[in-house]
Amino acid sequence: ESLQTIHTEAVGPDYVSKNHKPEATVSTAVSFPNVHVLAQTPQLIALLTMIRDVNTDRADFIFYSNRIIRLLVEESLNHLPVIAHEINTPVGRSYAGVMFQGKICGVSIMRAGEAMEQGLRDCCRSVRIGKILIQRDEETCMPKLFYDKLPEDISDRWVLLLDPMFATGGSATMAVDVLKSRGVPEDRILFVNLIASPEGINVFAKKFPKLRVVTAFIDQGLDEKNYIVPGLGDFGDRFYTL
Ligand code: URA
């Protein structure tokens, strides 16, 4: 059952009058200070339309997902601290700029999170990337940590936790607990995903109020199998299998 009402808005460039813009479903609004939803621009809505479409083939799914992932990584990087950095230009002037201060790493929740690694590498040269494998325990039906490989100095780094679909937040909660147990402060974790559910967002806002969530879209809800709706189906299947 869906928890939220669908929010439809006219989308398009500002030179087009509102009644000539197409209506599209945009992200559900939430008011948690730690949740950052990408601007619902016509480009983003068009990219999401492509990857949600059941008729989009694997090559297009990968191409358009990668464009959204790139936007998410760029937005996430805007949350990292910078310090003043003045430089000289080739024409003999100075420029008062900034530079990133600190170390980062990516941590992908396998398997679907690995699809986001390239987008991070494209933005951050030779970035360290760790991995966490969490699967449902056959006996207890609870998420269980099967494997992790994380940079040994992860407690000194900002962590971009990568998982494309933020559904119930079961695996993500376990992944955050692993990161915290390795000494990563909650406020240095950014959980980056393409589509989130209101349920997942609410769980995280209560459980991890200092962790930031960066997402492209908060959907209507979850179905009885805990798929996000309207969603896009199984991200890993669509990205990795023909
Ligand atoms: N994981 C997916 O791939 N899709 C969903 O809808 C939920 C979790």
Side-chain angles (χ1 to χ4, degrees):
E1 108 232 41
S2 55
L3 300 178
Q4 310 283 316
T5 48
I6 301 170
H7 185 50
T8 305
E9 229 172 55
V11 295
D14 285 342
Y15 64 80
V16 180
S17 73
K18 188 162 184 290
N19 44 6
H20 285 93
K21 292 182 194 187
E23 293 274 320
T25 307
V26 297
S27 176
T28 303
V30 295
S31 56
F32 298 115
N34 64 327
V35 176
H36 304 273
V37 182
L38 293 186
Q40 302 293 294
T41 61
Q43 278 296 308
L44 179 65
I45 300 293
L47 298 173
L48 284 160
T49 305
M50 285 296 298
I51 65 166
R52 287 179 187 280
D53 189 341
V54 66
N55 292 315
T56 295
D57 67 18
R58 178 166 173 250
D60 279 341
F61 185 85
I62 293 170
F63 182 86
Y64 292 103
S65 297
N66 281 338
R67 280 192 59 196
I68 300 172
I69 291 162
R70 180 67 180 249
L71 295 172
L72 286 165
V73 172
E74 295 284 3
E75 173 59 21
S76 302
L77 297 177
N78 281 328
H79 290 269
L80 307 181
V82 289
I83 52 168
H85 184 58
E86 184 161 324
I87 51 88
N88 298 312
T89 73
V91 284
R93 303 294 174 98
S94 67
Y95 173 76
V98 295
M99 65 190 273
F100 171 60
Q101 189 199 31
K103 294 196 286 183
I104 74 163
C105 71
V107 171
S108 57
I109 299 179
M110 294 162 74
R111 158 188 76 153
E114 291 172 298
M116 300 173 75
E117 292 179 2
Q118 193 56 48
L120 179 57
R121 292 187 204 282
D122 290 342
C123 294
C124 308
R125 264 152 73 80
S126 56
V127 65
R128 298 287 310 269
I129 293 184
K131 290 179 193 287
I132 290 181
L133 176 63
I134 294 160
Q135 272 174 352
R136 203 168 298 283
D137 188 295
E138 299 275 319
E139 279 156 32
T140 67
C141 284
M142 297 295 285
K144 182 177 166 195
L145 178 65
F146 273 82
Y147 167 85
D148 70 83
K149 187 167 187 292
L150 301 169
E152 53 303 323
D153 61 349
I154 194 164
S155 62
D156 300 331
R157 294 175 182 269
W158 287 81
V159 179
L160 273 66
L161 181 63
L162 309 173
D163 195 1
M165 302 297 278
F166 182 16
T168 62
S171 331
T173 297
M174 180 157 279
V176 172
D177 286 337
V178 171
L179 295 175
K180 289 173 78 170
S181 76
R182 304 293 160 86
V184 183
E186 195 176 299
D187 61 3
R188 272 204 258 117
I189 303 172
L190 289 86
F191 182 33
V192 189
N193 39 81
L194 283 88
I195 302 182
S197 75
E199 292 89 337
I201 293 283
N202 279 299
V203 167
F204 261 49
K206 289 199 188 76
K207 240 186 159 108
F208 307 120
K210 289 190 266 180
L211 172 152
R212 271 162 273 204
V213 175
V214 179
T215 189
F217 206 100
I218 301 171
D219 249 2
Q220 250 175 284
L222 298 170
D223 72 5
E224 57 291 342
K225 288 170 161 171
N226 285 335
Y227 275 87
I228 298 176
V229 288
L232 50 72
D234 188 298
F235 188 95
D237 283 355
R238 297 193 65 187
F239 198 95
Y240 288 113
T241 53
L242 282 165

